[in-house]
Amino acid sequence: MVIAHGEGVWLWDEHGRRYLDMMSAYSSVSHGHAHPRIVAALVAQAQRLSVTSRAFFNNKLPLFLKRLTEVTGLDRALPSNGGAEAVETALKAARKWGYKIKGIPDGQAEVIVCDGNFHGRSITIVGFSSEAQYRDGFGPFAPGFRSIPFGDSRALEAAITPNTAAFLVEPIQGEGGIVVPASGYLAQCARICRERGVLLICDEIQTGMGRTGKFLASQHDDVRPDGVILGKALGGGMLPVSAFVATNDVMQVFHPGDHGSTFGGNPLAAAVGLEALAVLFEEKLIERSAELGDYLLAQLKTVRSPLIRDVRGRGLFIGLEIDTRKTDARTIVRRLLQRGVLSKDTHSTAIRFAPPLVIDREQIDWAVEQVRAVFDELGTGLRKAA
Ligand SMILES: *Cc1c(COP(=O)(O)O)cnc(C)c1O
């Protein structure tokens, strides 16, 4: 299947066959493919001014940065392109804050992360991944990271030392298999971090932008982190646009020349990011994610099969866990594809459903029908039907 065209929740292959996109390029296409307002903003800005570098001010970036601080309730934003770059920005900020503000001895700063994390693919980031494949052949890795179980605030409490600068966490682990921690977990982490003088940095690259039914997933726990990382849907499904947004306390450590990006914050990306935010709020896509996410979750829970171990999620960010003794997630994903539904497995144990937030009930009903049909076909799965 080779994708050639997309519109809204639909994708078409080269032969004109239509598919319902239940994956949205890992939540990058939350607004739907080719959203008319975002296309218009992209084209208009491209005709006017696209790239200036940060050597000069441009008239679009300040509006975008200001909007980012408003929607996150934080003070300052630093723009970049892909998600991993924004995570690197956050890590640099955390370490420098550790040395300059907290007073950690030079070269000793530690950052705590979680087992099963996914924060991108740079050498630093894969260095603290718990996924062997992501690390294999890419070492040596940067020191200064410590991994603890996800969802366990006591483990965080125990892992903090006087040299801990920050705790970097996904409010819901995406690549890890749509792992939703117990309610209150992030609030407890926030309290511990505050008491111990450690920054709480939430990687909301996938969970942000309304994906889980709030603008940020951390808002479910009423938590305001010291820093938030955004990406994916921030680019409106069209461009790589990411940002690290943080408090003044954190961001004050960056001085001109400390950090940078040639394309980060270019006027084209800023115009698209601004429009992506505007559409998200004006078309009430966040409320839609909450409401239709509940609906999709409830509908998926009506699919009865001995192959399903769990269905979980928040908003339109849902994982269906497979009993891998009986079948594997890839088999399901392939059969859904044959029926015109695009989804993606994570680690062959869970299938993720994260459609564009513009999806409607009828489309959800049709998708769930296909899911039900696939599990009906597979039956008990023990014979591994081809
Ligand atoms: C996708 C993702 C990243 C990495 O973003 P890229 O744009 O692929 O570099 C980082 N963190 C999370 C939680 C992600 O889902």
Side-chain angles (χ1 to χ4, degrees), residues 26 82-85 87 118-121 170 175 203 205-206 232:
Y26 304 100
E85 284 173 76
V87 173
F118 185 84
H119 297 290
R121 302 285 200 159
E170 299 157 84
E175 302 303 302
D203 180 347
I205 289 173
Q206 200 162 165
K232 292 201 165 111

Side-chain angles (χ1 to χ4, degrees), residues 171-172 186 204 207-209 212 214-222 314:
I172 294 176
L186 204 63
E204 298 245 21
T207 54
M209 295 294 287
T212 72
K214 298 256 188 202
F215 177 70
L216 298 174
S218 46
Q219 291 167 345
H220 287 290
D221 272 19
D222 275 324
R314 221 162 203 187

Side-chain angles (χ1 to χ4, degrees), residues 14-322:
E14 293 174 304
H15 309 293
R17 220 194 132 197
R18 193 175 80 158
Y19 301 84
L20 180 63
D21 186 357
M22 292 290 281
M23 199 273 222
S24 319
Y26 304 100
S27 304
S28 300
V29 189
S30 288
H31 303 79
H33 296 276
H35 191 291
R37 275 185 59 181
I38 304 174
V39 171
L42 176 94
V43 170
Q45 188 61 40
Q47 286 170 335
R48 213 179 156 80
L49 179 69
S50 293
V51 175
T52 54
S53 90
R54 295 294 302 279
F56 307 103
F57 293 114
N58 72 70
N59 66 353
K60 278 283 160 193
L61 180 59
L63 306 177
F64 181 45
L65 299 182
K66 179 161 184 285
R67 190 73 190 120
L68 282 171
T69 62
E70 288 165 358
V71 295
T72 54
L74 291 163
D75 303 319
R76 287 201 255 172
L78 214 160
S80 42
N81 310 285
E85 284 173 76
V87 173
E88 291 274 350
T89 301
L91 293 171
K92 287 171 83 171
R95 281 183 170 182
K96 195 157 187 189
W97 176 89
Y99 298 125
K100 306 290 175 186
I101 311 294
K102 182 167 174 170
I104 296 172
D106 205 29
Q108 302 294 308
E110 289 171 359
V111 173
I112 299 174
V113 299
C114 288
D115 301 343
N117 70 70
F118 185 84
H119 297 290
R121 302 285 200 159
S122 71
I123 284 181
T124 307
I125 294 170
V126 298
F128 57 80
S129 169
S130 44
E131 186 64 31
Q133 189 194 355
Y134 298 172
R135 301 162 53 89
D136 181 37
F138 301 125
F141 299 114
F145 297 94
R146 191 159 167 189
S147 195
I148 59 170
F150 179 66
D152 181 350
S153 56
R154 287 215 184 132
L156 174 64
E157 202 148 24
I160 291 172
T161 74
N163 292 340
T164 306
F167 176 46
L168 171 66
V169 66
E170 299 157 84
I172 294 176
Q173 286 191 333
E175 302 303 302
I178 321 286
V179 185
V180 185
S183 130
Y185 166 65
L186 204 63
Q188 282 158 14
C189 292
R191 179 185 51 78
I192 294 164
C193 285
R194 201 168 44 242
E195 285 170 7
R196 307 284 297 273
V198 169
L199 301 176
L200 174 65
I201 297 176
C202 288
D203 180 347
E204 298 245 21
I205 289 173
Q206 200 162 165
T207 54
M209 295 294 287
R211 175 51 61 187
T212 72
K214 298 256 188 202
F215 177 70
L216 298 174
S218 46
Q219 291 167 345
H220 287 290
D221 272 19
D222 275 324
V223 164
R224 189 188 80 139
D226 301 286
V228 164
I229 309 162
L230 291 172
K232 292 201 165 111
L234 188 58
M238 302 202 182
L239 292 176
V241 183
S242 62
F244 175 54
V245 197
T247 59
N248 275 326
D249 179 45
V250 175
M251 221 53 122
Q252 66 175 324
V253 302
F254 283 127
H255 300 289
D258 286 356
H259 184 55
S261 162
T262 303
F263 283 89
N266 68 74
L268 186 62
V272 166
L274 267 170
E275 195 67 4
L277 285 166
V279 167
L280 196 72
F281 287 96
E282 286 164 31
E283 297 192 357
K284 306 218 175 311
L285 297 185
I286 303 169
E287 291 87 338
R288 228 185 143 79
S289 175
E291 190 188 316
L292 292 177
D294 284 349
Y295 181 69
L296 173 56
L297 187 66
Q299 293 308 108
L300 285 171
K301 282 187 171 164
T302 68
V303 177
R304 297 263 165 252
S305 164
L307 309 184
I308 300 176
R309 288 191 54 187
D310 190 25
V311 190
R312 57 178 177 250
R314 221 162 203 187
L316 282 167
F317 196 42
I318 294 176
L320 190 151
E321 196 178 320
I322 298 299

